[in-house]
Amino acid sequence: MLINGNFSKDATVGEDRGLSSIATSTRPQYAPLQDTFGRTFDYVRIAITEKCNLRCTYCMPEEGVDFKNGEQILTADEILRVIDVLARMGVKKVRFTGGEPLVRKDIVKLVEGAVNTPGVKSVHMTTNGIIFPKYAKALREAGLTGLNISLDTVDSQKFFDITRRPGEDKVIESIKLALDLGFPRVKVNNVLMKGFNDGEFFDFTEMTKDQAVTVRFIEFMPFDAEQIWETGEHFLSADAMIKMLKERYPNIELDSGTRTEHHVFRVPGYAGKIAIIPAFTRSLCGNCSRIRMTADGRIRNCLYSDSEYSLMDILRAGASDEEIVDLFRKAFKEKAKDGFEAKKLSAMRESTIEFKGRTSMTQIGG
Ligand code: SF4
């Protein structure tokens, strides 16, 4: 939304969908979503497709996975309705993920709808950046706040080895374009793997010298459709990454990040920041604030839990807002204290878990 030549979002939340006038008066507000450990969940990650235009080896095989599509995934109106209910349960932050969210044709409508939902403060997207230029301006005008652009290497051969497609130049271009268009938050997601791209660690930290980006180094996770995780060769821990940082930049300073970023640093005088994400070590569970929805409309109360709760079934059975609220409450009442316990419980419940077999991150949404 263009105000005085500058892009600004906050002032007009809710207006476009004509919701603001009924926002507070007729739309019941609900108690915040909490679990039995007293954590409050105000951040929803919504996978809007399982499809992707890349084939990353730490995510899915060349032939892909059994992608859900058409009737099997939530419509834009269903997603926006759920966002509206969640916003009335105190959810303030929405992230669209995938697969690759930009392969979904109604992505701008989804962003606009989320931005204009009363109570939503910021809308973000995680993208591989390959086709971002096609939507960049429209997403900025729609009010998208933050972009996490995935880039694990700047070496074209390595990029091809990991994604099975060319394109690192397009991704680098997209990072620059996002900064030029003035997106408030631009981040680079880098899955750092031993013996693969760890040699470029400092190429990526130096990206923060002149660019106001946050480079997020993410631990490798076991959602690769049984491809390379099992080798055990590539895992590099968050602690090892922090040690590398402090050895190279002895005067590095702690800095602030989002609730899901624990280890955030800034090299003195640098424009950007560096975050280390212990996604496998799971040392951030105590602060967990995340709700996950899969493209086929399932609630996941933890990345490592295979217990799922079908939103799609109740939505298509004509559920009321209260029934949607109740399903989220049920899902989070059963949330484990951390990702380790979630994994253990899933293994114990293996026989009773209805929706098995999400082996690839593209089926979960990260
Ligand atoms: S592993 Fe599960 S509990 Fe821990 S931060 Fe991730 S989603 Fe939350």
Side-chain angles (χ1 to χ4, degrees):
M1 273 158 265
L2 204 54
I3 299 181
N4 308 330
N6 299 318
F7 285 104
S8 168
K9 180 188 81 62
D10 297 325
T12 59
V13 169
E15 247 152 31
D16 294 29
R17 282 177 55 213
L19 287 172
S20 57
S21 57
I22 58 173
T24 46
S25 57
T26 56
R27 291 166 60 254
Q29 306 296 309
Y30 304 106
L33 181 60
Q34 296 191 314
D35 67 4
T36 57
F37 303 97
R39 293 173 290 197
T40 300
F41 297 88
D42 58 5
Y43 169 23
V44 62
R45 298 174 63 96
I46 305 174
I48 57 173
T49 180
E50 294 185 348
K51 294 182 178 169
C52 186
N53 46 2
L54 296 180
R55 290 287 181 276
C56 300
T57 51
Y58 56 73
C59 178
M60 69 168 124
E62 169 61 51
E63 64 276 15
V65 293
D66 177 16
F67 296 122
K68 304 229 174 34
N69 51 33
E71 287 282 303
Q72 300 173 303
I73 64 171
L74 291 182
T75 65
D77 289 343
E78 287 170 331
I79 293 170
L80 292 174
R81 176 169 178 219
V82 175
I83 291 174
D84 183 49
V85 172
L86 284 172
R88 288 183 274 145
M89 296 175 80
V91 166
K92 296 174 185 55
K93 181 176 176 181
V94 174
R95 178 177 297 281
F96 292 118
T97 70
E100 169 51 39
L102 293 176
V103 302
R104 196 171 155 151
K105 298 279 175 288
D106 53 6
I107 181 63
V108 175
K109 172 185 173 183
L110 280 164
V111 168
E112 256 166 10
V115 165
N116 292 314
T117 300
V120 171
K121 294 287 176 247
S122 67
V123 178
H124 305 250
M125 182 184 300
T126 300
T127 170
N128 62 31
I130 296 287
I131 56 173
F132 170 70
K134 192 172 154 196
Y135 297 96
K137 277 209 174 71
L139 292 170
R140 187 71 188 91
E141 283 169 10
L144 188 74
T145 308
L147 275 164
N148 288 36
I149 300 176
S150 305
L151 182 66
D152 303 314
T153 174
V154 292
D155 175 286
S156 55
Q157 184 53 52
K158 279 192 182 167
F159 186 90
F160 191 91
D161 293 346
I162 202 164
T163 67
R164 300 186 181 104
R165 304 285 185 277
E168 81 290 342
D169 49 342
K170 288 184 181 155
V171 182
I172 292 166
E173 210 26 63
S174 289
I175 295 168
K176 191 173 169 311
L177 177 60
L179 289 167
D180 292 349
L181 286 175
F183 281 90
R185 291 224 194 113
V186 179
K187 303 187 178 185
V188 176
N189 280 0
N190 178 295
V191 177
L192 198 72
M193 289 175 283
K194 201 190 299 176
F196 184 77
N197 58 345
D198 53 342
E200 295 175 70
F201 185 64
F202 296 115
D203 301 330
F204 279 80
T205 58
E206 286 300 304
M207 271 187 192
T208 67
K209 187 169 188 181
D210 307 317
Q211 299 185 97
V213 289
T214 296
V215 174
R216 307 169 80 247
F217 294 103
I218 303 168
E219 285 179 339
F220 181 24
M221 290 170 277
F223 300 102
D224 66 334
E226 284 115 25
Q227 293 182 93
I228 54 175
W229 174 265
E230 299 306 323
T231 65
E233 287 164 16
H234 298 295
F235 180 73
L236 194 63
S237 73
D239 289 346
M241 298 178 201
I242 293 169
K243 189 163 174 291
M244 288 157 72
L245 263 187
K246 290 184 172 169
E247 276 165 10
R248 172 68 177 268
Y249 308 102
N251 59 349
I252 200 164
E253 295 158 352
L254 277 175
D255 203 302
S256 61
T258 64
R259 253 176 74 189
T260 51
E261 288 167 343
H262 271 30
H263 312 291
V264 183
F265 302 90
R266 187 192 295 270
V267 179
Y270 281 31
K273 295 188 271 188
I274 298 159
I276 308 289
I277 314 296
F280 180 73
T281 303
R282 284 160 270 190
S283 53
L284 39 84
C285 300
N287 253 352
C288 186
S289 61
R290 299 168 177 206
I291 303 161
R292 285 184 170 81
M293 285 166 56
T294 63
D296 55 345
R298 313 269 186 260
I299 303 169
R300 284 175 77 100
N301 63 23
C302 171
L303 178 59
Y304 290 86
S305 170
D306 292 333
S307 300
E308 298 184 349
Y309 309 79
S310 178
L311 265 171
M312 181 183 278
D313 292 355
I314 65 165
L315 285 170
R316 295 186 180 175
S320 66
D321 290 355
E322 282 67 29
E323 286 166 316
I324 297 171
V325 169
D326 292 347
L327 189 64
F328 277 104
R329 296 218 191 283
K330 175 178 166 36
F332 280 81
K333 190 157 168 271
E334 296 171 2
K335 179 178 170 74
K337 80 170 172 7
D338 62 29
F340 291 102
E341 190 175 306
K343 193 76 193 158
K344 218 169 34 195
L345 286 173
S346 293
M348 283 158 53
R349 287 193 203 131
E350 177 76 17
S351 57
T352 62
I353 289 182
E354 193 181 338
F355 313 107
K356 282 199 219 34
R358 292 186 198 268
T359 58
S360 163
M361 193 61 101
T362 201
Q363 298 165 310
I364 300 170

